[in-house]
Amino acid sequence: MNTQLPTPYFVIDEPVLQRYYDMLTDSLKENWGNYLVGYSFKTNSLPWLVGFVKRNGAYAEVVSEDEYSLAKYLGFTDSEIVYNGPYKSEQSFRSVLLAGGYVNLDSRQELEWLTDLVNSNPGTELKVGIRANFNLEQMCPGETTMGEVSGRFGFCYETGKFAEAVELLRRLPGVRITGLHLHSSSKSRSVNIFRSIARMACLLQQEFDFNLEYVDLGGGYCGGMESRPEYPDYFPAVAEELSKCFSPENTKIIVEPGISLISKCTTFVTSIFDTRDIKGTRYVMTDGSRFNIDPTMIKTSHLFHVDYNEHYTGERPVKGRQVISGFTCMEVDRLFTYENQPELVPGDHIIYENVGGYTMSLNPLFIQYFPAVYVRSGDKMKMVRKKWTPEEYVQGQIM
Ligand SMILES: *Cc1c(COP(=O)(O)O)cnc(C)c1O
């Protein structure tokens, strides 16, 4: 299937995306019943994707004023925002709180903003969540991103900062702690991580005797990766732990999926435009760059398949090593080495799989502008972002 569309471009397969969204909500429904999905904007805030999750009932999980503004621009109300992270603005913090959205406090600064808000709005009930920083590594050795050193988000349980914040909040008139936020990033994304997060919620509940409307498990699930957990694996374990201290009648689960929702459905289609031999190495030049699908330069392998140019009638001898490279002028822009495979030629397509998360949102405007994005539904392809041109690049600027 060689398509005629100009490469490179991303494709989102809508039925696959829908399948993953439904898999998530079905599992939540079945195991807890009371839940809310806050879609992680930072993972991929492509407007079409945001629209898709919104139509399916998700709220916007945002971690900056710009993301908050984007959520508003794309039609979310303040009450449909889950506001996280260390870098909120005071204005948006107040708007979301006053509208009854979900604000998970992350810092001392926010406690001050909240105190000011209470003073300027006497008699108003304000519900807040609080992000706990805790030693997940101890519960899941070797699995977390922060490892033995601490994570840097939220109020630390072990040092007593969490208890201090709770005490301060309890003294603020009209303020109620209605949520716990326990997002932690892990390398393993295992069921055990989420079981431990649920256990931590219970531990905090027992120690502080909260009256919680929600436990926010955060994001960081696996999805669409072979022999790794899928949504239905997580929530039975989470529910088993949470039910020791909470009930679905009083307390909802908030989940903040990002990559797990959009990995499987997203591919990146590139073409080979040149090959060259230099000192015994075959370089295969493609119009996709490592910056498009591995912008943080951490991947050591890619899932991909090759679509051979059907108009090429020459031989394809097996080549020992072919170094698949991007179009940029940086030497590090090499994607992978193709070993002992048929010779690749101009017009072949290399199609990368599982590239939905942390790609489009981290893509630089380096040498080439943002590529087009299509949504596929059956055999229909709809363009949802046109390729950027100088027109988009220069917007809002003067020369
Ligand atoms: C990054 C992040 C997410 C989403 O993480 P994924 O790994 O994309 O699922 C959710 N919540 C918070 C607070 C985050 O920082």
Side-chain angles (χ1 to χ4, degrees):
M1 182 215 67
N2 274 346
T3 99
Q4 300 310 308
L5 297 168
T7 56
Y9 56 87
F10 286 97
V11 184
I12 299 169
D13 194 302
E14 186 169 4
V16 176
L17 174 60
Q18 187 72 58
R19 180 151 59 79
Y20 271 81
Y21 197 92
D22 293 345
M23 205 195 298
L24 170 64
T25 52
D26 286 349
S27 181
L28 285 163
K29 250 176 241 164
E30 204 172 296
N31 291 287
W32 198 256
N34 191 3
Y35 66 87
L36 177 71
V37 177
Y39 174 67
S40 166
F41 265 43
K42 76 159 191 278
T43 309
N44 190 335
S45 59
L46 182 82
W48 182 87
L49 257 178
V50 170
F52 176 91
V53 296
K54 188 173 189 299
R55 285 191 291 281
N56 280 271
Y59 284 17
E61 191 269 327
V62 301
V63 291
S64 71
E65 183 174 43
D66 282 355
E67 284 193 348
Y68 162 80
S69 303
L70 177 63
K72 295 296 295 289
Y73 188 84
L74 296 175
F76 292 88
T77 63
D78 282 311
S79 63
E80 295 168 338
I81 304 277
V82 179
Y83 206 177
N84 289 329
Y87 193 53
K88 305 174 180 86
S89 71
E90 184 171 10
Q91 181 64 44
S92 51
F93 173 87
R94 293 168 74 106
S95 302
V96 176
L97 270 180
L98 288 171
Y102 298 87
V103 175
N104 292 313
L105 303 170
D106 197 280
S107 69
R108 224 172 34 210
Q109 167 77 82
E110 291 174 25
L111 295 177
E112 285 168 25
W113 289 346
L114 183 64
T115 307
D116 291 345
L117 186 62
V118 166
N119 291 336
S120 57
N121 293 267
T124 307
E125 190 194 49
L126 296 168
K127 299 178 182 183
V128 296
I130 177 166
R131 179 159 180 178
N133 177 310
F134 62 101
N135 194 341
L136 182 61
E137 180 67 20
Q138 194 172 45
M139 304 165 96
C140 308
E143 292 192 44
T144 70
T145 310
M146 67 245 187
E148 302 290 335
V149 298
S150 59
R152 62 189 176 87
F153 304 109
F155 296 92
C156 183
Y157 171 69
E158 289 85 18
T159 61
K161 293 289 177 198
F162 181 85
E164 240 173 63
V166 168
E167 220 171 284
L168 187 147
L169 291 168
R170 285 181 165 162
R171 283 200 303 268
L172 285 178
V175 170
R176 286 206 295 127
I177 301 172
T178 53
L180 276 179
H181 186 217
L182 300 152
H183 172 85
S184 298
S185 57
S186 72
K187 289 178 285 195
S188 65
R189 298 176 177 262
S190 71
V191 173
N192 189 38
I193 285 281
F194 288 90
R195 181 184 287 281
S196 303
I197 287 173
R199 277 201 185 133
M200 189 65 199
C202 281
L203 188 145
L204 293 172
Q205 172 62 28
Q206 282 160 347
E207 183 167 339
F208 293 95
D209 194 26
F210 293 120
N211 193 355
L212 295 185
E213 291 179 6
Y214 68 93
V215 171
D216 188 334
L217 303 168
Y221 310 91
C222 272
M225 288 159 77
E226 208 161 314
S227 57
R228 305 293 298 279
E230 294 282 6
Y231 291 131
D233 299 314
Y234 293 105
F235 300 107
V238 164
E240 185 185 313
E241 296 300 331
L242 284 186
S243 59
K244 295 173 183 165
C245 298
F246 303 97
S247 73
E249 288 69 41
N250 300 318
T251 308
K252 78 175 95 177
I253 292 177
I254 297 183
V255 291
E256 301 170 350
I259 198 165
S260 53
L261 207 50
I262 55 185
S263 248
K264 186 71 180 177
C265 65
T266 312
T267 50
F268 184 57
V269 182
T270 68
S271 300
I272 295 166
F273 64 84
D274 187 24
T275 61
R276 49 184 66 177
D277 291 308
I278 299 176
K279 294 185 182 164
T281 297
R282 165 65 56 98
Y283 293 100
V284 175
M285 316 291 268
T286 72
D287 59 9
S289 162
R290 192 170 171 189
F291 290 106
N292 294 123
I293 55 170
D294 181 24
T296 52
M297 303 272 177
I298 52 168
K299 288 190 188 168
T300 52
S301 66
H302 296 275
L303 291 170
F304 68 91
H305 63 275
V306 177
D307 211 352
Y308 293 102
N309 178 356
E310 55 199 18
H311 303 296
Y312 178 75
T313 51
E315 298 278 305
R316 288 184 183 266
V318 169
K319 304 288 283 184
R321 285 181 83 235
Q322 302 179 79
V323 177
I324 312 303
S325 316
F327 62 79
T328 72
C329 304
M330 283 179 82
E331 285 293 358
V332 295
D333 191 3
R334 302 170 182 216
L335 290 113
F336 65 97
T337 304
Y338 202 40
E339 300 205 37
N340 301 317
Q341 296 290 336
E343 181 176 25
L344 297 169
V345 301
D348 291 346
H349 287 127
I350 299 175
I351 299 160
Y352 298 89
E353 290 138 23
N354 283 30
V355 293
Y358 305 99
T359 50
M360 294 177 214
S361 58
L362 282 161
N363 205 153
L365 289 164
F366 182 58
I367 302 185
Q368 282 280 91
Y369 303 138
F370 295 150
V373 184
Y374 293 86
V375 169
R376 178 166 48 219
S377 188
D379 48 16
K380 277 210 224 33
M381 292 278 267
K382 177 171 68 179
M383 187 162 68
V384 297
R385 178 176 80 187
K386 78 179 185 75
K387 180 198 176 328
W388 271 35
T389 65
E391 203 178 324
E392 286 77 30
Y393 180 73
V394 303
Q395 62 198 317
Q397 305 184 41
I398 51 175
M399 194 173 80

